[in-house]
Amino acid sequence: MTEPETVSVLGNVRQFLQRSHGLYIDGGWQESDSEARLPVFNPADGQQISSSADASVADVDRAVTSAWRAFSRGVWANMLPAGRERVLLRFADLLEQNTEELAQLETLEQGKSINISRAFEVGCTLNWMRYTAGLTTKISGQTLDVSIPMPEGARYQAWTRKEPVGVVAGIVPWNFPLLIGMWKVMPALAAGCSIVVKPSETTPLTLLRMAELATEAGVPDGVFNVVTGSGAGCGKALTEHPLIAKVSFTGSTATGKGIARAAADRLTRVTLELGGKNPAIVLKDADPAMVIEGLMAGSFLNQGQVCAASSRIYIEAPLFDTLVSGFEQAVKSLQVGAGMDPAAHINPLVSKVQQQKVAGYLAQAEEQRAELISGNPGPQGSGYYIAPTLVVNPSASLRLTKEEVFGPVVNLVRVADAEEALRLANDSDYGLTASLWTNSLQAAMQYTGRIQAGTVWVNSHTLIDANMPFGGMKQSGTGRDFGPHWLDAYTETKTVCVRY
């Protein structure tokens, strides 16, 4: 058996990994007050490849104060919108010029396929960056006719204007560190805000590199800062800092609720993109080939470590056996291996902790004699691998039936009809995404409005676009990202009324 032809690590990537990474504050590298370091591991083999600073409360205060000074000076906030746009487009150009470096860093620290890092983490990030840069020159208010009756004979003209909220805290998860990181950074900068970003302690490297590129692009000192550290220490200090005007958080529902409670004390704005237990409803008239192709991608992209992933699939009875057989064949054909092996379809999970969490869900299912269909387990003895797994008609008593697994595990459930599928799909605390699979226009129009989810696809799943607002219902979060009104969440609406 020949060894996989893995991608060779670039020399500048090796050099970046070997650096003693500090904190990026006020346009440059600064040492942390804390001597503690957080290891960064390669999920493919479990070996440490780098480390980052574990920022103290004082470090966080330095970063936020730097961002506040930069905002108060107005060098960025008061720049002509076209000027900010040019800087942000130059920032995107620098990302494009460093595509392979950033893609490799992403794969080495997160574990995902180098193909996904190139196409999604860099390619899609470029799309979002350029889209958001364009919004910089589209910020607008309204003119208002008013009927103020006094004093007699007085006339008034009123209008609204959008002003940046101030300093933004961006809390970034580990599943798409570069892409989701720039979903925090770009709208904040486009609106004229300053930002302090905290990446996951598991995957800090790409955002640290992006901070350097931001300065190179011309983002003023203090406008884009990165602090690394634990969620309980660094993250808590950042979201609770009194100078933070808005928090943008992507992560677990439990952590999001804690951030919302802390923000309520100061009435800090929050956008929360939280967990999902996303259903797919497959009607009996759906095209089996299209369903299998679409939901294999929708379920197993990034090893299922996607908040929008389809994790429970409800299939009308006449199509159930056909699709189970098709999904089984597809799952067993997947190659499992390191992210730097371009031929591997399934890669390791991000960390040992996440691997053990997903393994716990599957162990409970095995103990209760659930029907499991598993694919290739992948390399044994090292790395954080979990075999892609189908769970057929799981019992409601299993935790993986209700909870977000965030791994390569998908439930296949037989239903009698579309109404049963809809009832089960909506029977969840979550409401992030869903999909409906049918060739009937009538069914598509009838059921999409009844599915309780922030995004509903028909005959596709997981695929998003910068111009499509995205966010959750119920415990999947509050607020919306993306779309032409994205910057509204990063601005205050001020009303001006003039008597003349």
Side-chain angles (χ1 to χ4, degrees):
M1 181 176 178
T2 59
E3 291 294 317
E5 295 185 9
T6 58
V7 172
S8 297
V9 179
L10 296 174
N12 54 345
V13 171
R14 294 184 187 277
Q15 292 172 5
F16 191 82
L17 294 175
Q18 292 169 1
R19 286 162 56 176
S20 180
H21 299 290
L23 310 172
Y24 204 85
I25 299 173
D26 208 25
W29 295 106
Q30 296 189 17
E31 293 297 320
S32 170
D33 287 346
S34 168
E35 295 182 358
R37 305 286 298 176
L38 296 170
V40 178
F41 298 100
N42 181 351
D45 57 18
Q47 298 299 306
Q48 182 175 339
I49 56 173
S50 191
S51 68
S52 62
D54 188 4
S56 67
V57 173
D59 291 328
V60 171
D61 182 65
R62 269 194 294 144
V64 175
T65 301
S66 170
W68 172 248
R69 281 199 306 266
F71 179 73
S72 300
R73 289 196 302 265
V75 176
W76 180 250
N78 295 332
M79 185 182 292
L80 290 176
R84 289 205 307 273
E85 181 185 43
R86 282 193 294 272
V87 171
L88 295 179
L89 288 172
R90 192 154 56 240
F91 190 15
D93 290 343
L94 287 172
L95 170 62
E96 188 169 34
Q97 292 168 24
N98 292 275
T99 289
E100 186 63 14
E101 176 190 355
L102 284 153
Q104 289 192 13
L105 284 173
E106 192 76 351
T107 289
L108 290 169
E109 69 173 346
Q110 202 277 338
K112 63 169 58 77
S113 168
I114 187 65
N115 302 321
I116 299 299
S117 291
R118 291 165 177 162
F120 282 80
E121 291 286 9
V122 177
C124 288
T125 297
L126 278 170
N127 292 342
W128 258 271
M129 289 180 75
R130 287 169 175 151
Y131 176 90
T132 317
L135 295 180
T136 305
T137 55
K138 313 300 187 296
I139 300 171
S140 61
Q142 293 179 299
T143 57
L144 307 167
D145 286 334
V146 295
S147 302
I148 300 171
M150 60 184 68
E152 185 177 353
R155 299 295 299 274
Y156 295 86
Q157 179 65 56
W159 63 89
T160 62
R161 53 177 282 116
K162 299 285 189 178
E163 298 180 353
V165 295
V167 180
V168 175
I171 309 295
V172 181
W174 46 255
N175 58 333
F176 287 96
L178 176 58
L179 180 61
I180 298 178
M182 299 317 293
W183 290 350
K184 315 295 183 193
V185 171
M186 289 299 293
L189 299 190
C193 301
S194 298
I195 189 168
V196 181
V197 181
K198 192 201 89 67
S200 166
E201 56 264 45
T202 308
T203 54
L205 300 178
T206 46
L207 278 180
L208 289 172
R209 180 69 179 109
M210 289 299 287
E212 292 183 321
L213 295 181
T215 298
E216 185 178 344
V219 175
D221 295 350
V223 171
F224 178 13
N225 307 273
V226 181
V227 292
T228 57
S230 68
C234 175
K236 185 173 185 292
L238 178 57
T239 57
E240 295 181 358
H241 197 286
L243 292 179
I244 294 295
K246 174 185 170 61
V247 178
S248 177
F249 171 81
T250 301
S252 73
T253 296
T255 303
K257 287 180 178 179
I259 288 173
R261 282 190 290 267
D265 287 339
R266 301 189 318 279
L267 296 180
T268 302
R269 289 172 175 243
V270 291
T271 299
L272 304 173
E273 199 267 276
L274 308 179
K277 186 67 177 174
N278 308 298
I281 297 174
V282 183
L283 302 187
K284 60 188 177 183
D285 70 312
D287 179 347
M290 179 183 287
V291 171
I292 291 168
E293 177 192 45
L295 287 180
M296 284 296 293
S299 302
F300 293 107
L301 175 70
N302 197 23
Q303 296 60 255
Q305 298 170 129
V306 181
C307 59
S310 46
S311 59
R312 48 192 178 112
I313 303 174
Y314 299 106
I315 306 168
E316 278 197 287
L319 205 55
F320 185 76
D321 291 339
T322 297
L323 285 183
V324 169
S325 176
F327 278 117
E328 178 176 6
Q329 182 178 355
V331 163
K332 289 186 174 180
S333 71
L334 296 175
Q335 296 186 46
V336 181
M340 294 294 274
D341 174 8
H345 305 110
I346 296 291
N347 314 111
L349 299 185
V350 69
S351 66
K352 185 69 173 176
V353 170
Q354 187 64 15
Q355 180 196 41
Q356 291 174 341
K357 176 186 173 184
V358 176
Y361 284 108
L362 294 175
Q364 188 210 24
E366 289 178 341
E367 290 169 3
Q368 296 193 20
R369 301 182 182 278
E371 182 182 351
L372 304 181
I373 300 173
S374 298
N376 185 339
Q380 300 298 296
S382 65
Y384 311 137
Y385 294 92
I386 290 285
T389 303
L390 305 171
V391 188
V392 182
N393 289 318
S395 165
S397 64
L398 294 178
R399 290 191 300 127
L400 58 75
T401 303
K402 294 289 187 183
E403 297 178 16
E404 184 180 37
V405 175
F406 226 60
V409 179
V410 181
N411 301 340
L412 303 179
V413 181
R414 183 196 301 266
V415 294
D417 53 32
E419 288 299 321
E420 182 185 9
L422 184 67
R423 177 178 59 81
L424 293 172
N426 288 339
D427 183 21
S428 173
D429 291 335
Y430 297 107
L432 187 58
T433 71
S435 61
L436 177 70
W437 298 78
T438 180
N439 283 322
S440 167
L441 176 61
Q442 181 179 9
M445 299 303 293
Q446 178 182 356
Y447 288 108
T448 50
R450 297 174 62 193
I451 296 172
Q452 297 169 2
T455 298
V456 179
W457 292 278
V458 177
N459 296 330
S460 69
H461 198 113
T462 309
L463 303 177
I464 57 178
D465 184 85
N467 205 36
M468 292 169 49
F470 184 81
M473 297 180 178
K474 299 189 276 189
Q475 295 197 37
S476 287
T478 61
R480 293 293 182 270
D481 288 318
F482 317 157
H485 304 293
W486 193 2
L487 302 193
D488 287 355
Y490 294 82
T491 58
E492 296 280 10
T493 298
K494 176 182 286 183
T495 300
V496 180
C497 184
V498 177
R499 175 186 170 184
Y500 61 95

